[in-house]
Amino acid sequence: MAKASYYTFTASFITLGVALLAYLWYTIGQRRGAGRYGTFFTVNGALLLTTSLGLRWFASGHAPYSNQFEFSLSFAWGTIASYLYLEHRFRLRSLGFIAVTIAFGMLAYASTLPSRIDPLISALQNNAMLTTHVAMAIISYGTFACGFAAGVLYLINRKGTISFLPAPEVLDEIGHKAVMIGFPAQAMLLILGALWANVAWGAYWSWDPKETAALFTWLIYGVYLHARAQRHWRGVRAASLLILGFGAVMFTFYGNYFLGGLHTYSGL
Amino acid sequence: MTATGTLTPEERANPGPELLAATPKDDFTSPAFGAARPRRDWFDQIWNVLGSIRFGVVLIALTATSVFLGTVIMQAPGDVQASPELFAAWILGPRGRYGEPWSSIFEALELYRVFQSLWFRGLLALLSLSIMVNVASRTPGIIAVVRRPPVKVPTRFFSRAPLRVTVSFPVPPDGIRPKLATDLGRKGYRTIAWDDGSALAIYADRNRYGKYGTFANHLGLIIILGAGVLGNVTGWREDAFMVPEGTTRAVGHDTGLVLRNEAFVEEYFPNGTASDFRSEVVVLKDGKEAARGTIRVNEPLDVGTVRFHQAFFGPAVAMRVRNAEGAIVYDDSTALGFKYDGDGVTRNGGNFVLGNRQFAVFVLVPSASLQAPDPVIPAGSVRLEIFAPRQPRPVAVETLAQGEKREIVGFTFEFVRETQFSGLQVVDNPVVNVIWIGAALMVMGSMAVFYLPLRRIWARIETSPDGGSVVTLASAHVNEVLFAHEFAALGEHLAKKGGGKVLASVQPSAMGDRIEAGS
Ligand code: HEM
């Protein structure tokens, strides 16, 4: 089962690589027909990744996010799922090459990590909590990745002069939509984490570096939401905040390499 | 803010027709922070600054920066902060890491204890205050948006609105108006009929109560911050409540609670990591059993607002001590929950007091994690260091094997057996549930604002030359690509339902990729 999970992971990795090429050809190469292939391979890559995660869940008996390998896969999954949702809602594929690059990069990183299934240490044995807590991480970080993609394209096309990229006001709105999903999800992530810590450690908030890193990320998007409420903060500044916010996401995600604290063992 | 030409948040989020047609402003668009009314005294000025969203942005950004600094700069643990000696030892680490002058700057700015510092607490207090002032000043505007909709718009709005759809129906106006109202109602709009001079008209809006979400959202935030402070003031916590197996300990803090550790169990995975550890306990309140159960890491035991958590465990020793007459003066276990360095090794230790503070007895055993054997204390033995009051050196030091009795300083000490203690955290936070209420309000409030956006549509119904009617739907939501699309689809939907035909559709921004559009 764990083997089958690894094979489907590899298949999804390759499929998304193809999707990435198709999206690049579509957007940079301005080949209209390639877009449909991009979507086709992304959807299939997502299905394969879902299967891989499902098999792993089944094999280990717990949701697949108890170590860095599993969480990287889940992060990639969240990014693709959010991207496909936005592609569908806004009917545009130009974000694809950035969003899929992020997901592809996460999978490439995952392929360098040990993929064994470990027994859970006792602090992580609270399944329902673990599942919802990290599900919120996947939703928020996935949508923030798409917000980042929209922010980057905005900066590239801020004057609206690049005809093959979406209009700046559309990109601005996509970024905002992404944060509107990601911000409450991350709030729930923090709250569920607090609920969990309250049960496990007897303190709902300990100013642990992992907690503060996630809070920092959330506050950046808080700045984004309030700054954007002022008209002159839309556009370039808002897009820069989307990029900074995703930088904070990556910092939170990789933070346990250089930050200690209660979360270190879990790799989350 | 309106005075300088920018829009208040309410105006921006709910553009009404007056943004396009220069009609006298309705109350609901009046500036949120009172900039239009001349406010001159200092109270009003402070009020305006505190409540302005610009100041809010600065405060949130400052909070974010502080949290960032507290994340990347080493933070002194709580016990280190509490003790100057521990801090003096601890600070050597960061000093070596950051070097001068950074280390001194960090120290002066309390950056080694950001989250406990006065300035950080002040910042959070200012943030709360700013939120309260902002929400208070926005309240009349928000209530007006919900309660006093701008039903009537000037006729020219129907030819100037950024979103417009014209539909012809074969039915005269007084026949189509109720039909349109019903169909809009099915799409979630509430409708108000009005007459625009010669023509019939409809005002329709959807999700107006979503606006109130911003109250729940920001109120929830204040509740979380307030309950955090209140919890610190009214609650207490005991991080190392150590109860050896088979013994009873009082919880203290005027709770009248006593905990008895009936059994402690630990289990391991084959690879040696702990898979489970748990305590079977009974809690007595004023002598009567109040609770009984198993405490695990994720399964605390609640007794009223006091919560017992399994946190750690370690060795304990059961000792029995008799006085010179042979009467038992001590028969209990001592948790060896502290680490001591000596003779080049680390040992676990704890202490108990004999008689009326006659002697303090320190009990030491070799650490279980010890690689090399202890050079002084054989495995399975204990060392007793007995101190008399106000004497820096022990009056006696003896090592006992298990089961051994020995007379020391006039008492007979017996090392009964080695056991384990259960390390519990005891927390009393009477307001922790308030935090969850605040959190729920915050999340649900923001979701209400985000996912239930207020939408407004006006329809003007004119008689067409052939006796049917021509309906112009107009809306003022600018910069909303998705809504523009939904609006066009709504026009088509209404046309289909009423047997009509879409004549024209005006949308400022296009959906989809420009590549797809073939540009
Ligand atoms: C960390 C603190 C804060 C958080 C997490 C927060 C959260 C939010 C969220 C999620 C929204 C969008 C939903 C809604 O309208 O309720 C929002 C809107 C808003 N907040 Fe805050 N807020 C914070 C602090 C502040 C402060 C300090 C101010 C003002 C001084 C403020 C003023 C506003 C205003 C005016 C809006 C409406 C903006 C618009 O119409 O787009 N908030 N806030």
Side-chain angles (χ1 to χ4, degrees):
Chain A
M1 192 81 74
K3 261 218 173 94
S5 163
Y6 203 82
Y7 291 147
T8 40
F9 154 68
T10 311
S12 129
F13 183 44
I14 295 167
T15 312
L16 286 172
V18 177
L20 178 56
L21 291 177
Y23 278 132
L24 278 171
W25 201 17
Y26 171 77
T27 305
I28 313 290
Q30 297 177 55
R31 192 59 66 92
R32 236 194 289 176
R36 239 175 300 138
Y37 290 102
T39 306
F40 175 81
F41 284 109
T42 308
V43 168
N44 282 291
L47 290 175
L48 285 166
L49 196 53
T50 312
T51 312
S52 172
L53 288 166
L55 287 170
R56 212 176 153 88
W57 191 332
F58 196 76
S60 67
H62 59 78
Y65 12 73
S66 62
N67 61 31
Q68 197 79 355
F69 174 80
E70 294 183 345
F71 195 68
S72 297
L73 261 62
S74 300
F75 190 163
W77 187 91
T79 306
I80 296 173
S82 321
Y83 166 70
L84 285 174
Y85 169 77
L86 292 172
E87 173 180 310
H88 174 76
R89 273 312 293 277
F90 285 88
R91 299 181 192 182
L92 90 198
R93 298 187 167 110
S94 339
L95 247 57
F97 77 97
I98 300 181
V100 175
T101 299
I102 294 169
F104 187 75
M106 296 311 300
L107 294 186
Y109 166 64
S111 69
T112 67
L113 295 172
S115 69
R116 59 170 196 278
I117 295 176
D118 294 321
L120 284 179
I121 68 147
S122 35
L124 291 180
Q125 279 170 8
N126 203 329
N127 243 314
M129 226 44 141
L130 178 66
T131 311
T132 37
H133 174 65
V134 193
M136 290 302 138
I138 287 165
I139 294 175
S140 60
Y141 296 167
T143 49
F144 290 155
C146 294
F148 167 81
V152 169
L153 284 192
Y154 187 97
L155 291 187
I156 295 173
N157 195 28
R158 61 181 172 279
K159 300 233 160 64
T161 45
I162 303 176
S163 62
F164 58 86
L165 288 181
E169 57 281 7
V170 176
L171 291 167
D172 188 65
E173 187 175 335
I174 295 174
H176 190 220
K177 274 277 163 353
V179 175
M180 277 162 53
I181 299 168
F183 192 78
Q186 210 199 348
M188 281 198 266
L189 163 73
L190 291 167
I191 294 161
L192 286 163
L195 272 165
W196 182 17
N198 193 49
V199 173
W201 295 306
Y204 59 88
W205 190 262
S206 327
W207 298 109
D208 166 78
K210 201 75 198 181
E211 289 171 350
T212 57
L215 178 66
F216 166 62
T217 307
W218 189 67
L219 287 170
I220 300 242
Y221 288 101
V223 174
Y224 168 86
L225 284 171
H226 293 82
R228 202 176 167 282
Q230 294 161 285
R231 189 176 266 182
H232 62 279
W233 263 89
R234 288 188 169 208
V236 173
R237 297 189 202 184
S240 313
L241 280 171
L242 288 175
I243 292 167
L244 178 67
F246 191 63
V249 169
M250 298 312 275
F251 169 74
T252 309
F253 187 59
Y254 291 111
N256 54 322
Y257 285 131
F258 45 94
L259 308 169
L262 294 167
H263 281 74
T264 350
Y265 51 74
S266 71
L268 299 184
Chain B
M1 291 179 102
T2 324
T4 60
T6 47
L7 300 179
T8 66
E10 268 62 57
E11 287 170 337
R12 203 189 37 63
N14 319 294
E18 65 290 329
L19 294 183
L20 300 136
T23 51
K25 290 208 168 195
D26 204 349
D27 248 358
F28 80 99
T29 56
S30 69
F33 324 125
R37 264 171 289 157
R39 291 191 155 183
R40 272 187 211 103
D41 63 60
W42 58 270
F43 179 83
D44 284 344
Q45 272 176 12
I46 292 177
W47 178 270
N48 284 347
V49 170
L50 271 180
S52 79
I53 189 155
R54 195 171 299 176
F55 188 63
V57 170
V58 171
L59 286 181
I60 304 171
L62 280 176
T63 312
T65 312
S66 319
V67 171
F68 178 74
L69 292 175
T71 308
V72 291
I73 296 176
M74 292 168 77
Q75 297 292 297
D79 49 341
V80 168
Q81 288 183 31
S83 137
E85 294 90 62
L86 285 179
F87 188 82
W90 178 88
I91 191 75
L92 298 176
R95 270 194 198 140
R97 181 157 166 185
Y98 305 119
E100 290 300 341
W102 292 113
S103 184
S104 301
I105 294 174
F106 290 173
E107 211 171 330
L109 296 177
E110 292 193 275
L111 292 181
Y112 295 126
R113 50 192 299 271
V114 170
F115 306 114
Q116 290 75 31
S117 71
L118 206 58
W119 63 261
F120 185 71
R121 286 167 193 206
L123 184 58
L124 292 187
L126 198 58
L127 186 72
S128 312
L129 188 66
S130 160
I131 293 174
M132 286 190 270
V133 173
N134 175 276
V135 171
S137 24
R138 284 195 296 150
T139 300
I142 294 168
I143 291 178
V145 164
V146 177
R147 307 266 299 264
R148 281 189 279 134
V151 173
K152 300 190 177 183
V153 292
T155 307
R156 63 179 178 278
F157 175 70
F158 291 97
S159 54
R160 287 185 192 176
L163 301 180
R164 273 169 287 148
V165 177
T166 317
V167 190
S168 71
F169 292 97
V171 190
D174 49 357
I176 200 67
R177 184 160 74 173
K179 171 89 181 107
L180 283 178
T182 315
D183 289 342
L184 280 166
R186 291 220 177 92
K187 286 277 175 189
Y189 286 87
R190 68 123 182 210
T191 54
I192 299 172
W194 58 286
D195 294 336
D196 179 17
S198 55
L200 301 186
I202 297 176
Y203 163 82
D205 68 18
R206 194 169 72 173
N207 294 338
R208 63 189 191 284
Y209 289 114
K211 284 280 127 195
Y212 287 155
T214 200
F215 294 133
N217 175 32
H218 289 94
L219 181 71
L221 207 64
I222 301 278
I223 289 177
I224 293 173
L225 290 168
V229 174
L230 209 63
N232 280 344
V233 175
T234 59
W236 50 264
R237 61 181 297 138
E238 200 73 71
D239 278 321
F241 183 59
M242 293 180 277
V243 190
E245 206 174 3
T247 69
T248 301
R249 293 285 182 268
V251 173
H253 294 279
D254 299 325
T255 53
L257 295 179
V258 165
L259 180 134
R260 182 171 173 76
N261 177 0
E262 307 231 291
F264 177 79
V265 185
E266 54 180 314
E267 281 161 11
Y268 293 91
F269 285 121
N271 70 7
T273 55
S275 63
D276 188 25
F277 53 103
R278 56 181 183 267
S279 312
E280 312 284 343
V281 304
V282 179
V283 179
L284 308 171
K285 178 157 179 106
D286 303 324
K288 279 202 288 286
E289 181 172 319
R292 170 186 285 275
T294 306
I295 308 181
R296 282 194 173 81
V297 167
N298 280 326
E299 293 166 25
L301 180 73
D302 287 333
V303 183
T305 59
V306 180
R307 186 171 257 207
F308 295 88
H309 294 266
Q310 182 71 62
F312 59 107
F313 58 91
V317 289
M319 303 278 311
R320 197 172 293 132
V321 184
R322 294 167 199 270
N323 62 14
E325 288 78 48
I328 295 177
V329 291
Y330 178 87
D331 187 7
D332 203 350
S333 294
T334 305
L336 309 183
F338 300 97
K339 300 266 188 203
Y340 295 96
D341 292 327
D343 302 323
V345 291
T346 303
R347 295 171 180 138
N348 276 80
N351 66 295
F352 64 90
V353 175
L354 262 193
N356 188 17
R357 307 207 169 267
Q358 206 175 343
F359 292 108
V361 182
F362 276 82
V363 186
L364 292 165
V365 298
S367 258
S369 59
L370 210 64
Q371 299 296 318
D374 191 300
V376 179
I377 313 172
S381 298
V382 297
R383 179 152 79 164
L384 305 179
E385 297 182 353
I386 300 167
F387 288 79
R390 281 183 294 277
Q391 300 220 359
R393 308 205 153 271
V395 293
V397 177
E398 302 274 346
T399 302
L400 269 73
Q402 181 160 334
E404 197 182 336
K405 293 182 195 166
R406 190 174 302 167
E407 211 189 297
I408 315 167
V409 293
F411 291 91
T412 307
F413 288 79
E414 181 186 352
F415 171 23
V416 182
R417 65 194 155 85
E418 236 180 298
T419 64
Q420 281 189 307
F421 76 85
S422 176
L424 304 177
Q425 265 171 4
V426 195
V427 184
D428 183 10
N429 189 344
V431 293
V432 70
N433 287 329
V434 177
I435 301 244
W436 310 133
I437 294 171
L441 279 175
M442 183 181 83
V443 171
M444 291 193 304
S446 64
M447 287 171 78
V449 175
F450 289 151
Y451 309 144
L452 299 173
L454 175 70
R455 299 302 187 198
R456 286 175 174 155
I457 293 172
W458 288 263
R460 188 167 194 270
I461 308 164
E462 289 160 296
T463 314
S464 65
D466 59 5
S469 47
V470 174
V471 177
T472 306
L473 295 165
S475 184
H477 297 286
V478 280
N479 283 336
E480 300 248 18
V481 183
L482 287 183
F483 180 71
H485 193 75
E486 196 185 307
F487 180 75
L490 180 69
E492 273 163 35
H493 171 82
L494 293 176
K496 204 166 116 212
K497 283 277 180 181
K501 213 169 81 199
V502 175
L503 299 179
S505 186
V506 176
Q507 291 188 42
S509 32
M511 283 279 283
D513 254 328
R514 295 200 270 182
I515 304 176
E516 305 270 307
S519 64

